Amino acid sequence: MLSPLRVAVTGAAGQIGYALLFRIASGQMFGPDQPVILHLIEVPVDKAMHALEGVVMELEDCAFPLLAGTVCTSDATEGFKEVNWACLVGSKPRGPGMERADLLKDNGKIFVGQGRAIDEHAAADCRVAVVGNPANTNAMIGAAQGERIPAERWTAMVRLDQNRAVGQLAKRAGVSVADVTDTYIFGNHSPTMFPAFGLAKIGNRPATEVLDGSYLQGEFLETVGKRGAAIIAARGASSAASAANALVDHVRGLVTPGKVQSVAVKSDGHYGFDPAVWAGLPVRTTETGYEVVEGLTLDAFAKEKIAATNAELVSERETVADLLP
Ligand code: NAI
């Protein structure tokens, strides 16, 4: 029997948390032989902590053989103590009339505190996956707070955008999602992100040969870019099950050597991104970590889109400059 992994989830009583925890505890994130201890972290507000108690009751009622324990807390030191993975889902939603700059700064402060706590208390091998928006910039802020956990271990989630892009290409082409490959998201998890359809393949043929260019440059980009808003309009709440599913894919992919998927990581200048921003890139998992897949050919249209999403990431970094050491 493997010893349990400690997995922290912030925002554990939120809607993504509710769709996520049961999948982690059932073994879908770390595999069918890997026990887990869930560290469930919420804000120190009675309503949230009570809701969390209810979630823990339901976890108990599932009698998951792989769930070796739960820790419920609003204290970051206790919450991140010795964790091997930190899934940072909790963040402050954008309120009515709130400027994006205020959202960036308010959430940035959360990630300053959590970044420090992770650096001080997490296990030496800790890896971090940021979901809470603005995810890329939050990951950059969190990674900047410490020295013990290398910045490369901080990732942000763009896998939902990848899955959305794959779903749309498969639907349009009338094929199974399994026939759609090489679909990667470049840039920010925001409407500026670029699903690089020029690299995608459908049934081993370039997507650009299977589907017409006006669809790919128009309706496809618009549908994927505005999918989050469309779900809010239809459901009256933001995407939760698909976001949780994407996080399961993101982490599972990062613990599966050879897997290639879109992950927002410190760019180091790849594909023209500013070296200090966290950008969605094609990433291959290795035995010891991951590497950015280099050498993919991008056309002028893709380069222009990447420049635009890079400009947004750089401007987000400038907005939160006072939160960076
Ligand atoms: P939610 O509002 O249902 O839940 C968020 C939870 O986080 C709440 O229970 C809240 O109390 C908690 N929270 C807030 N600040 C916290 C802190 N400092 N520490 C611990 N917990 C904290 O929101 P939902 O739907 O679960 O979404 C969570 C985040 O994920 C949002 O920022 C959302 O924009 C983002 N998101 C990101 C996606 C991506 O692809 N990267 C996709 C979908 C959502």
Side-chain angles (χ1 to χ4, degrees):
M1 187 77 162
L2 296 167
S3 56
L5 279 180
R6 291 184 178 271
V7 184
V9 177
T10 67
Q15 53 154 3
I16 293 177
Y18 192 70
L20 175 68
L21 299 175
F22 302 86
R23 298 194 57 187
I24 303 177
S26 69
Q28 291 178 57
M29 190 177 263
F30 296 104
D33 301 317
Q34 178 60 63
V36 291
I37 297 173
L38 287 173
H39 288 226
L40 308 177
I41 306 174
E42 259 297 341
V43 287
V45 172
D46 283 351
K47 196 170 168 232
M49 294 310 287
H50 280 316
L52 197 51
E53 282 170 28
V55 174
V56 171
M57 285 185 228
E58 285 203 73
L59 282 166
E60 287 170 5
D61 294 349
C62 293
F64 288 121
L66 292 173
L67 184 58
T70 52
V71 174
C72 285
T73 185
S74 57
D75 176 66
T77 301
E78 186 188 6
F80 293 118
K81 194 165 174 55
E82 291 302 324
V83 299
N84 309 100
W85 271 93
C87 300
L88 305 184
V89 178
S91 71
K92 189 173 166 177
R94 188 167 179 170
M98 193 176 181
E99 296 293 331
R100 186 167 168 84
D102 294 330
L103 182 77
L104 278 159
K105 286 185 175 175
D106 282 2
N107 277 313
K109 286 179 200 146
I110 295 174
F111 287 81
V112 169
Q114 292 182 349
R116 286 184 188 150
I118 288 169
D119 206 61
E120 281 175 34
H121 305 292
D125 66 354
C126 183
R127 292 197 255 174
V128 187
V130 178
V131 175
N133 278 321
N136 300 50
T137 294
N138 288 339
M140 178 193 68
I141 293 169
Q145 307 307 318
E147 288 171 359
R148 192 174 62 100
I149 307 292
E152 291 68 33
R153 300 245 209 93
W154 282 75
T155 61
M157 188 174 94
V158 288
R159 182 62 198 254
L160 178 55
D161 305 301
Q162 176 183 315
N163 290 351
R164 285 169 172 168
V166 169
Q168 290 304 312
L169 292 174
K171 191 169 152 188
R172 182 75 178 196
V175 300
S176 153
V177 287
D179 293 328
V180 179
T181 59
D182 304 74
T183 309
Y184 304 120
I185 303 299
F186 287 79
N188 205 0
H189 172 66
S190 83
T192 69
M193 59 87 202
F194 178 59
F197 56 77
L199 301 171
K201 297 208 170 64
I202 299 175
N204 279 328
R205 288 173 62 206
T208 47
E209 285 179 11
V210 179
L211 299 172
D212 64 78
S214 61
Y215 163 75
L216 290 167
Q217 292 192 9
E219 189 183 332
F220 169 69
L221 291 187
E222 177 141 344
T223 304
V224 177
K226 295 188 177 162
R227 189 67 160 181
I231 286 165
I232 293 174
R235 210 172 80 83
S238 58
S239 33
S242 55
N245 176 70
L247 185 58
V248 171
D249 288 346
H250 173 110
V251 174
R252 190 93 189 110
L254 285 171
V255 296
T256 308
K259 179 78 189 170
V260 182
Q261 62 172 342
S262 314
V263 181
V265 297
K266 185 167 182 292
S267 98
D268 284 338
H270 285 106
Y271 294 102
F273 282 101
D274 186 284
V277 299
W278 262 246
L281 289 163
V283 161
R284 180 184 297 108
T285 303
T286 63
E287 291 294 335
T288 53
Y290 64 79
E291 62 194 9
V292 173
V293 177
E294 296 190 66
L296 299 175
T297 305
L298 296 165
D299 61 13
F301 181 84
K303 286 180 183 163
E304 195 182 309
K305 292 286 181 189
I306 287 174
T309 191
N310 178 59
E312 183 179 55
L313 286 165
V314 169
S315 101
E316 288 188 7
R317 191 184 61 207
E318 284 162 3
T319 305
V320 299
D322 55 336
L323 301 177
L324 301 171

PDB file of all heavy atoms in Angstrom, residues 186 192-199 208 213-222 297-309:
ATOM      1  N   PHE A 186      -2.724  28.627 -25.850  1.00  0.00           N
ATOM      2  CA  PHE A 186      -1.599  29.538 -25.588  1.00  0.00           C
ATOM      3  C   PHE A 186      -2.116  30.765 -24.839  1.00  0.00           C
ATOM      4  O   PHE A 186      -3.122  31.362 -25.215  1.00  0.00           O
ATOM      5  CB  PHE A 186      -0.957  29.980 -26.901  1.00  0.00           C
ATOM      6  CG  PHE A 186      -0.142  28.886 -27.569  1.00  0.00           C
ATOM      7  CD1 PHE A 186      -0.760  27.880 -28.291  1.00  0.00           C
ATOM      8  CD2 PHE A 186       1.237  28.861 -27.446  1.00  0.00           C
ATOM      9  CE1 PHE A 186      -0.016  26.869 -28.896  1.00  0.00           C
ATOM     10  CE2 PHE A 186       2.003  27.863 -28.048  1.00  0.00           C
ATOM     11  CZ  PHE A 186       1.372  26.864 -28.776  1.00  0.00           C
ATOM     12  N   THR A 192      -8.815  36.242 -24.093  1.00  0.00           N
ATOM     13  CA  THR A 192      -7.708  36.447 -25.049  1.00  0.00           C
ATOM     14  C   THR A 192      -6.927  35.169 -25.346  1.00  0.00           C
ATOM     15  O   THR A 192      -6.082  35.150 -26.240  1.00  0.00           O
ATOM     16  CB  THR A 192      -6.682  37.495 -24.548  1.00  0.00           C
ATOM     17  OG1 THR A 192      -5.970  36.968 -23.427  1.00  0.00           O
ATOM     18  CG2 THR A 192      -7.338  38.812 -24.187  1.00  0.00           C
ATOM     19  N   MET A 193      -7.182  34.094 -24.590  1.00  0.00           N
ATOM     20  CA  MET A 193      -6.388  32.870 -24.827  1.00  0.00           C
ATOM     21  C   MET A 193      -6.595  32.382 -26.257  1.00  0.00           C
ATOM     22  O   MET A 193      -7.638  32.607 -26.858  1.00  0.00           O
ATOM     23  CB  MET A 193      -6.737  31.792 -23.808  1.00  0.00           C
ATOM     24  CG  MET A 193      -8.167  31.347 -23.756  1.00  0.00           C
ATOM     25  SD  MET A 193      -8.510  30.055 -24.894  1.00  0.00           S
ATOM     26  CE  MET A 193     -10.276  30.274 -25.035  1.00  0.00           C
ATOM     27  N   PHE A 194      -5.556  31.704 -26.760  1.00  0.00           N
ATOM     28  CA  PHE A 194      -5.624  31.291 -28.166  1.00  0.00           C
ATOM     29  C   PHE A 194      -5.553  29.773 -28.294  1.00  0.00           C
ATOM     30  O   PHE A 194      -4.521  29.168 -28.018  1.00  0.00           O
ATOM     31  CB  PHE A 194      -4.473  31.940 -28.958  1.00  0.00           C
ATOM     32  CG  PHE A 194      -4.466  31.526 -30.395  1.00  0.00           C
ATOM     33  CD1 PHE A 194      -5.564  31.781 -31.212  1.00  0.00           C
ATOM     34  CD2 PHE A 194      -3.374  30.858 -30.935  1.00  0.00           C
ATOM     35  CE1 PHE A 194      -5.577  31.379 -32.540  1.00  0.00           C
ATOM     36  CE2 PHE A 194      -3.374  30.456 -32.270  1.00  0.00           C
ATOM     37  CZ  PHE A 194      -4.482  30.715 -33.061  1.00  0.00           C
ATOM     38  N   PRO A 195      -6.666  29.145 -28.726  1.00  0.00           N
ATOM     39  CA  PRO A 195      -6.618  27.714 -29.024  1.00  0.00           C
ATOM     40  C   PRO A 195      -6.015  27.549 -30.426  1.00  0.00           C
ATOM     41  O   PRO A 195      -6.635  27.927 -31.407  1.00  0.00           O
ATOM     42  CB  PRO A 195      -8.086  27.272 -28.986  1.00  0.00           C
ATOM     43  CG  PRO A 195      -8.916  28.512 -28.985  1.00  0.00           C
ATOM     44  CD  PRO A 195      -7.997  29.712 -28.960  1.00  0.00           C
ATOM     45  N   ALA A 196      -4.818  27.023 -30.484  1.00  0.00           N
ATOM     46  CA  ALA A 196      -4.044  27.046 -31.731  1.00  0.00           C
ATOM     47  C   ALA A 196      -4.562  25.978 -32.697  1.00  0.00           C
ATOM     48  O   ALA A 196      -3.988  24.891 -32.818  1.00  0.00           O
ATOM     49  CB  ALA A 196      -2.561  26.857 -31.426  1.00  0.00           C
ATOM     50  N   PHE A 197      -5.611  26.336 -33.423  1.00  0.00           N
ATOM     51  CA  PHE A 197      -6.253  25.357 -34.324  1.00  0.00           C
ATOM     52  C   PHE A 197      -5.325  24.943 -35.459  1.00  0.00           C
ATOM     53  O   PHE A 197      -5.479  23.878 -36.037  1.00  0.00           O
ATOM     54  CB  PHE A 197      -7.585  25.913 -34.857  1.00  0.00           C
ATOM     55  CG  PHE A 197      -7.456  27.239 -35.547  1.00  0.00           C
ATOM     56  CD1 PHE A 197      -6.953  27.329 -36.835  1.00  0.00           C
ATOM     57  CD2 PHE A 197      -7.833  28.411 -34.902  1.00  0.00           C
ATOM     58  CE1 PHE A 197      -6.821  28.554 -37.464  1.00  0.00           C
ATOM     59  CE2 PHE A 197      -7.712  29.641 -35.526  1.00  0.00           C
ATOM     60  CZ  PHE A 197      -7.204  29.716 -36.813  1.00  0.00           C
ATOM     61  N   GLY A 198      -4.313  25.772 -35.755  1.00  0.00           N
ATOM     62  CA  GLY A 198      -3.376  25.434 -36.833  1.00  0.00           C
ATOM     63  C   GLY A 198      -2.510  24.222 -36.502  1.00  0.00           C
ATOM     64  O   GLY A 198      -1.918  23.604 -37.392  1.00  0.00           O
ATOM     65  N   LEU A 199      -2.421  23.873 -35.208  1.00  0.00           N
ATOM     66  CA  LEU A 199      -1.639  22.702 -34.811  1.00  0.00           C
ATOM     67  C   LEU A 199      -2.526  21.463 -34.648  1.00  0.00           C
ATOM     68  O   LEU A 199      -2.040  20.335 -34.644  1.00  0.00           O
ATOM     69  CB  LEU A 199      -0.944  22.967 -33.459  1.00  0.00           C
ATOM     70  CG  LEU A 199       0.014  24.155 -33.403  1.00  0.00           C
ATOM     71  CD1 LEU A 199       0.448  24.404 -31.953  1.00  0.00           C
ATOM     72  CD2 LEU A 199       1.239  23.892 -34.282  1.00  0.00           C
ATOM     73  N   THR A 208      -7.147  22.281 -40.154  1.00  0.00           N
ATOM     74  CA  THR A 208      -7.352  23.302 -41.190  1.00  0.00           C
ATOM     75  C   THR A 208      -7.719  22.684 -42.539  1.00  0.00           C
ATOM     76  O   THR A 208      -8.195  23.378 -43.435  1.00  0.00           O
ATOM     77  CB  THR A 208      -6.083  24.155 -41.344  1.00  0.00           C
ATOM     78  OG1 THR A 208      -4.965  23.276 -41.424  1.00  0.00           O
ATOM     79  CG2 THR A 208      -5.892  25.088 -40.162  1.00  0.00           C
ATOM     80  N   GLY A 213     -11.520  27.577 -42.896  1.00  0.00           N
ATOM     81  CA  GLY A 213     -10.774  28.610 -42.174  1.00  0.00           C
ATOM     82  C   GLY A 213     -11.674  29.665 -41.560  1.00  0.00           C
ATOM     83  O   GLY A 213     -11.404  30.173 -40.466  1.00  0.00           O
ATOM     84  N   SER A 214     -12.772  29.999 -42.256  1.00  0.00           N
ATOM     85  CA  SER A 214     -13.623  31.059 -41.713  1.00  0.00           C
ATOM     86  C   SER A 214     -14.293  30.580 -40.417  1.00  0.00           C
ATOM     87  O   SER A 214     -14.464  31.355 -39.483  1.00  0.00           O
ATOM     88  CB  SER A 214     -14.658  31.524 -42.737  1.00  0.00           C
ATOM     89  OG  SER A 214     -15.472  30.439 -43.079  1.00  0.00           O
ATOM     90  N   TYR A 215     -14.631  29.285 -40.331  1.00  0.00           N
ATOM     91  CA  TYR A 215     -15.180  28.750 -39.072  1.00  0.00           C
ATOM     92  C   TYR A 215     -14.110  28.789 -37.977  1.00  0.00           C
ATOM     93  O   TYR A 215     -14.366  29.242 -36.860  1.00  0.00           O
ATOM     94  CB  TYR A 215     -15.683  27.307 -39.266  1.00  0.00           C
ATOM     95  CG  TYR A 215     -15.864  26.599 -37.930  1.00  0.00           C
ATOM     96  CD1 TYR A 215     -16.945  26.892 -37.107  1.00  0.00           C
ATOM     97  CD2 TYR A 215     -14.911  25.667 -37.470  1.00  0.00           C
ATOM     98  CE1 TYR A 215     -17.088  26.296 -35.859  1.00  0.00           C
ATOM     99  CE2 TYR A 215     -15.050  25.072 -36.216  1.00  0.00           C
ATOM    100  CZ  TYR A 215     -16.136  25.391 -35.419  1.00  0.00           C
ATOM    101  OH  TYR A 215     -16.260  24.811 -34.179  1.00  0.00           O
ATOM    102  N   LEU A 216     -12.906  28.321 -38.313  1.00  0.00           N
ATOM    103  CA  LEU A 216     -11.859  28.228 -37.285  1.00  0.00           C
ATOM    104  C   LEU A 216     -11.477  29.617 -36.760  1.00  0.00           C
ATOM    105  O   LEU A 216     -11.339  29.811 -35.552  1.00  0.00           O
ATOM    106  CB  LEU A 216     -10.633  27.509 -37.852  1.00  0.00           C
ATOM    107  CG  LEU A 216     -10.836  26.009 -38.109  1.00  0.00           C
ATOM    108  CD1 LEU A 216      -9.706  25.445 -38.966  1.00  0.00           C
ATOM    109  CD2 LEU A 216     -10.946  25.238 -36.798  1.00  0.00           C
ATOM    110  N   GLN A 217     -11.329  30.571 -37.676  1.00  0.00           N
ATOM    111  CA  GLN A 217     -10.922  31.925 -37.231  1.00  0.00           C
ATOM    112  C   GLN A 217     -12.078  32.701 -36.610  1.00  0.00           C
ATOM    113  O   GLN A 217     -11.844  33.663 -35.876  1.00  0.00           O
ATOM    114  CB  GLN A 217     -10.366  32.718 -38.417  1.00  0.00           C
ATOM    115  CG  GLN A 217      -9.062  32.172 -38.930  1.00  0.00           C
ATOM    116  CD  GLN A 217      -8.372  33.121 -39.905  1.00  0.00           C
ATOM    117  OE1 GLN A 217      -8.781  34.262 -40.080  1.00  0.00           O
ATOM    118  NE2 GLN A 217      -7.320  32.641 -40.542  1.00  0.00           N
ATOM    119  N   GLY A 218     -13.301  32.309 -36.915  1.00  0.00           N
ATOM    120  CA  GLY A 218     -14.456  33.051 -36.434  1.00  0.00           C
ATOM    121  C   GLY A 218     -15.197  32.330 -35.324  1.00  0.00           C
ATOM    122  O   GLY A 218     -14.846  32.445 -34.144  1.00  0.00           O
ATOM    123  N   GLU A 219     -16.209  31.549 -35.707  1.00  0.00           N
ATOM    124  CA  GLU A 219     -17.114  30.926 -34.728  1.00  0.00           C
ATOM    125  C   GLU A 219     -16.375  30.061 -33.702  1.00  0.00           C
ATOM    126  O   GLU A 219     -16.689  30.081 -32.514  1.00  0.00           O
ATOM    127  CB  GLU A 219     -18.139  30.077 -35.501  1.00  0.00           C
ATOM    128  CG  GLU A 219     -19.264  29.551 -34.639  1.00  0.00           C
ATOM    129  CD  GLU A 219     -20.209  28.650 -35.461  1.00  0.00           C
ATOM    130  OE1 GLU A 219     -20.336  28.842 -36.690  1.00  0.00           O
ATOM    131  OE2 GLU A 219     -20.790  27.737 -34.846  1.00  0.00           O
ATOM    132  N   PHE A 220     -15.371  29.316 -34.163  1.00  0.00           N
ATOM    133  CA  PHE A 220     -14.639  28.432 -33.233  1.00  0.00           C
ATOM    134  C   PHE A 220     -13.973  29.245 -32.127  1.00  0.00           C
ATOM    135  O   PHE A 220     -14.182  28.985 -30.925  1.00  0.00           O
ATOM    136  CB  PHE A 220     -13.594  27.608 -34.012  1.00  0.00           C
ATOM    137  CG  PHE A 220     -12.634  26.871 -33.117  1.00  0.00           C
ATOM    138  CD1 PHE A 220     -13.064  25.810 -32.332  1.00  0.00           C
ATOM    139  CD2 PHE A 220     -11.289  27.248 -33.054  1.00  0.00           C
ATOM    140  CE1 PHE A 220     -12.175  25.141 -31.489  1.00  0.00           C
ATOM    141  CE2 PHE A 220     -10.404  26.579 -32.232  1.00  0.00           C
ATOM    142  CZ  PHE A 220     -10.849  25.525 -31.443  1.00  0.00           C
ATOM    143  N   LEU A 221     -13.190  30.263 -32.506  1.00  0.00           N
ATOM    144  CA  LEU A 221     -12.495  31.072 -31.491  1.00  0.00           C
ATOM    145  C   LEU A 221     -13.488  31.770 -30.570  1.00  0.00           C
ATOM    146  O   LEU A 221     -13.300  31.828 -29.355  1.00  0.00           O
ATOM    147  CB  LEU A 221     -11.593  32.116 -32.157  1.00  0.00           C
ATOM    148  CG  LEU A 221     -10.357  31.599 -32.888  1.00  0.00           C
ATOM    149  CD1 LEU A 221      -9.479  32.769 -33.332  1.00  0.00           C
ATOM    150  CD2 LEU A 221      -9.548  30.638 -32.024  1.00  0.00           C
ATOM    151  N   GLU A 222     -14.557  32.270 -31.159  1.00  0.00           N
ATOM    152  CA  GLU A 222     -15.544  32.997 -30.363  1.00  0.00           C
ATOM    153  C   GLU A 222     -16.252  32.055 -29.373  1.00  0.00           C
ATOM    154  O   GLU A 222     -16.437  32.394 -28.199  1.00  0.00           O
ATOM    155  CB  GLU A 222     -16.571  33.630 -31.317  1.00  0.00           C
ATOM    156  CG  GLU A 222     -17.661  34.321 -30.572  1.00  0.00           C
ATOM    157  CD  GLU A 222     -18.094  35.618 -31.230  1.00  0.00           C
ATOM    158  OE1 GLU A 222     -17.356  36.132 -32.086  1.00  0.00           O
ATOM    159  OE2 GLU A 222     -19.178  36.098 -30.861  1.00  0.00           O
ATOM    160  N   THR A 297       5.254  24.895 -35.178  1.00  0.00           N
ATOM    161  CA  THR A 297       5.208  25.991 -36.148  1.00  0.00           C
ATOM    162  C   THR A 297       3.893  26.758 -36.039  1.00  0.00           C
ATOM    163  O   THR A 297       2.815  26.168 -36.138  1.00  0.00           O
ATOM    164  CB  THR A 297       5.346  25.423 -37.589  1.00  0.00           C
ATOM    165  OG1 THR A 297       6.536  24.645 -37.608  1.00  0.00           O
ATOM    166  CG2 THR A 297       5.443  26.534 -38.618  1.00  0.00           C
ATOM    167  N   LEU A 298       4.022  28.050 -35.800  1.00  0.00           N
ATOM    168  CA  LEU A 298       2.834  28.900 -35.670  1.00  0.00           C
ATOM    169  C   LEU A 298       2.827  29.902 -36.816  1.00  0.00           C
ATOM    170  O   LEU A 298       3.863  30.496 -37.137  1.00  0.00           O
ATOM    171  CB  LEU A 298       2.874  29.636 -34.327  1.00  0.00           C
ATOM    172  CG  LEU A 298       2.806  28.717 -33.095  1.00  0.00           C
ATOM    173  CD1 LEU A 298       3.215  29.476 -31.844  1.00  0.00           C
ATOM    174  CD2 LEU A 298       1.408  28.135 -32.940  1.00  0.00           C
ATOM    175  N   ASP A 299       1.639  30.097 -37.420  1.00  0.00           N
ATOM    176  CA  ASP A 299       1.570  31.037 -38.549  1.00  0.00           C
ATOM    177  C   ASP A 299       1.379  32.475 -38.033  1.00  0.00           C
ATOM    178  O   ASP A 299       1.289  32.720 -36.822  1.00  0.00           O
ATOM    179  CB  ASP A 299       0.459  30.627 -39.532  1.00  0.00           C
ATOM    180  CG  ASP A 299      -0.922  30.631 -38.893  1.00  0.00           C
ATOM    181  OD1 ASP A 299      -1.067  31.182 -37.782  1.00  0.00           O
ATOM    182  OD2 ASP A 299      -1.856  30.077 -39.497  1.00  0.00           O
ATOM    183  N   ALA A 300       1.311  33.418 -38.970  1.00  0.00           N
ATOM    184  CA  ALA A 300       1.239  34.836 -38.602  1.00  0.00           C
ATOM    185  C   ALA A 300      -0.024  35.126 -37.783  1.00  0.00           C
ATOM    186  O   ALA A 300       0.007  35.916 -36.832  1.00  0.00           O
ATOM    187  CB  ALA A 300       1.266  35.697 -39.869  1.00  0.00           C
ATOM    188  N   PHE A 301      -1.135  34.480 -38.136  1.00  0.00           N
ATOM    189  CA  PHE A 301      -2.393  34.686 -37.397  1.00  0.00           C
ATOM    190  C   PHE A 301      -2.201  34.269 -35.935  1.00  0.00           C
ATOM    191  O   PHE A 301      -2.570  34.995 -35.007  1.00  0.00           O
ATOM    192  CB  PHE A 301      -3.503  33.854 -38.067  1.00  0.00           C
ATOM    193  CG  PHE A 301      -4.852  34.007 -37.416  1.00  0.00           C
ATOM    194  CD1 PHE A 301      -5.683  35.069 -37.753  1.00  0.00           C
ATOM    195  CD2 PHE A 301      -5.306  33.089 -36.474  1.00  0.00           C
ATOM    196  CE1 PHE A 301      -6.942  35.211 -37.145  1.00  0.00           C
ATOM    197  CE2 PHE A 301      -6.548  33.221 -35.864  1.00  0.00           C
ATOM    198  CZ  PHE A 301      -7.371  34.296 -36.201  1.00  0.00           C
ATOM    199  N   ALA A 302      -1.601  33.092 -35.731  1.00  0.00           N
ATOM    200  CA  ALA A 302      -1.381  32.589 -34.364  1.00  0.00           C
ATOM    201  C   ALA A 302      -0.440  33.527 -33.599  1.00  0.00           C
ATOM    202  O   ALA A 302      -0.682  33.845 -32.428  1.00  0.00           O
ATOM    203  CB  ALA A 302      -0.800  31.180 -34.422  1.00  0.00           C
ATOM    204  N   LYS A 303       0.603  33.970 -34.277  1.00  0.00           N
ATOM    205  CA  LYS A 303       1.580  34.851 -33.597  1.00  0.00           C
ATOM    206  C   LYS A 303       0.922  36.160 -33.150  1.00  0.00           C
ATOM    207  O   LYS A 303       1.233  36.689 -32.084  1.00  0.00           O
ATOM    208  CB  LYS A 303       2.770  35.127 -34.513  1.00  0.00           C
ATOM    209  CG  LYS A 303       3.682  33.920 -34.620  1.00  0.00           C
ATOM    210  CD  LYS A 303       4.857  34.184 -35.521  1.00  0.00           C
ATOM    211  CE  LYS A 303       5.697  32.925 -35.644  1.00  0.00           C
ATOM    212  NZ  LYS A 303       6.604  32.965 -36.784  1.00  0.00           N
ATOM    213  N   GLU A 304       0.017  36.665 -33.980  1.00  0.00           N
ATOM    214  CA  GLU A 304      -0.684  37.907 -33.615  1.00  0.00           C
ATOM    215  C   GLU A 304      -1.568  37.673 -32.386  1.00  0.00           C
ATOM    216  O   GLU A 304      -1.611  38.481 -31.458  1.00  0.00           O
ATOM    217  CB  GLU A 304      -1.544  38.312 -34.817  1.00  0.00           C
ATOM    218  CG  GLU A 304      -2.055  39.719 -34.764  1.00  0.00           C
ATOM    219  CD  GLU A 304      -2.944  39.987 -35.984  1.00  0.00           C
ATOM    220  OE1 GLU A 304      -2.497  39.713 -37.122  1.00  0.00           O
ATOM    221  OE2 GLU A 304      -4.074  40.418 -35.776  1.00  0.00           O
ATOM    222  N   LYS A 305      -2.261  36.551 -32.358  1.00  0.00           N
ATOM    223  CA  LYS A 305      -3.130  36.222 -31.214  1.00  0.00           C
ATOM    224  C   LYS A 305      -2.294  36.030 -29.945  1.00  0.00           C
ATOM    225  O   LYS A 305      -2.683  36.445 -28.853  1.00  0.00           O
ATOM    226  CB  LYS A 305      -3.932  34.943 -31.494  1.00  0.00           C
ATOM    227  CG  LYS A 305      -4.962  35.096 -32.584  1.00  0.00           C
ATOM    228  CD  LYS A 305      -6.134  35.894 -32.056  1.00  0.00           C
ATOM    229  CE  LYS A 305      -7.223  36.060 -33.092  1.00  0.00           C
ATOM    230  NZ  LYS A 305      -8.269  36.995 -32.675  1.00  0.00           N
ATOM    231  N   ILE A 306      -1.154  35.381 -30.104  1.00  0.00           N
ATOM    232  CA  ILE A 306      -0.284  35.140 -28.944  1.00  0.00           C
ATOM    233  C   ILE A 306       0.276  36.470 -28.426  1.00  0.00           C
ATOM    234  O   ILE A 306       0.362  36.690 -27.216  1.00  0.00           O
ATOM    235  CB  ILE A 306       0.824  34.123 -29.307  1.00  0.00           C
ATOM    236  CG1 ILE A 306       0.181  32.728 -29.403  1.00  0.00           C
ATOM    237  CG2 ILE A 306       1.955  34.141 -28.288  1.00  0.00           C
ATOM    238  CD1 ILE A 306       1.100  31.625 -29.883  1.00  0.00           C
ATOM    239  N   ALA A 307       0.593  37.371 -29.333  1.00  0.00           N
ATOM    240  CA  ALA A 307       1.085  38.686 -28.895  1.00  0.00           C
ATOM    241  C   ALA A 307       0.010  39.404 -28.078  1.00  0.00           C
ATOM    242  O   ALA A 307       0.302  40.063 -27.073  1.00  0.00           O
ATOM    243  CB  ALA A 307       1.496  39.519 -30.109  1.00  0.00           C
ATOM    244  N   ALA A 308      -1.257  39.262 -28.471  1.00  0.00           N
ATOM    245  CA  ALA A 308      -2.344  39.951 -27.760  1.00  0.00           C
ATOM    246  C   ALA A 308      -2.543  39.360 -26.364  1.00  0.00           C
ATOM    247  O   ALA A 308      -2.693  40.094 -25.378  1.00  0.00           O
ATOM    248  CB  ALA A 308      -3.635  39.847 -28.568  1.00  0.00           C
ATOM    249  N   THR A 309      -2.519  38.043 -26.240  1.00  0.00           N
ATOM    250  CA  THR A 309      -2.733  37.440 -24.921  1.00  0.00           C
ATOM    251  C   THR A 309      -1.511  37.680 -24.034  1.00  0.00           C
ATOM    252  O   THR A 309      -1.626  37.894 -22.826  1.00  0.00           O
ATOM    253  CB  THR A 309      -3.144  35.949 -25.040  1.00  0.00           C
ATOM    254  OG1 THR A 309      -3.580  35.497 -23.757  1.00  0.00           O
ATOM    255  CG2 THR A 309      -2.077  35.039 -25.577  1.00  0.00           C
TER     256      THR A 309
END
